[in-house]
Amino acid sequence: QVQLVESGGGLVQAGGSLRLSCAASGIVFSSNAMAWYRQSPGNQRELVASITSGGTINYADSVKGRFTVSRDNAKNTVYLQMNSLEPEDTAVYYCNAGLLRNRIFVPGKYWGQGTQVTVSS
């Protein structure tokens, strides 16, 4: 069965950093594009970053230059390094295993439980 387990969230002051991890099982990890989403109360779940097995990366405009997505296929894990955090980054962060079609990330049906990121001003 598919499992996605996010970790690494927490409370941090504005300007600080966090590193999120998502460990995947039940999939052929190297065959999937992976992505990070986030959702805060009252907002839609938004795509933050995606990365294919071949290393094609896309970021939302709001995080470009601050966040870095990477993956370790040997560990079946995708990471999100978050620097220069802002209060607007406060959200629950989720990972997803999907695919990239016509340069657009298409999410799969499985989501992790999410990890809370809270950035104080």
Side-chain angles (χ1 to χ4, degrees):
Q1 61 183 23
V2 177
Q3 286 194 60
L4 303 170
V5 181
E6 301 95 338
S7 62
L11 175 64
V12 65
Q13 290 185 318
S17 297
L18 288 171
R19 191 192 194 205
L20 307 184
S21 299
C22 172
S25 62
I27 63 171
V28 181
F29 186 79
S30 61
S31 297
N32 282 271
M34 301 295 297
W36 287 96
Y37 287 76
R38 66 186 182 187
Q39 187 168 27
S40 57
N43 294 308
Q44 298 284 102
R45 186 170 297 186
E46 66 170 336
L47 178 63
V48 175
S50 65
I51 181 169
T52 69
S53 184
T56 299
I57 294 172
N58 290 290
Y59 295 102
D61 288 343
S62 59
V63 307
K64 285 180 180 176
R66 301 188 298 119
F67 292 8
T68 303
V69 65
S70 62
R71 64 191 291 163
D72 186 338
N73 288 345
K75 296 181 178 179
N76 286 6
T77 301
V78 62
Y79 305 95
L80 187 67
Q81 178 66 47
M82 309 165 67
N83 298 327
S84 301
L85 283 162
E86 304 167 353
E88 293 74 20
D89 296 315
T90 295
V92 178
Y93 284 71
Y94 302 89
C95 70
N96 182 269
L99 57 87
L100 203 67
R101 193 187 304 280
N102 294 326
R103 293 169 287 189
I104 298 172
F105 185 80
V106 181
K109 65 182 294 183
Y110 298 106
W111 300 86
Q113 83 289 348
T115 186
Q116 176 72 49
V117 172
T118 303
V119 184
S120 62
S121 60

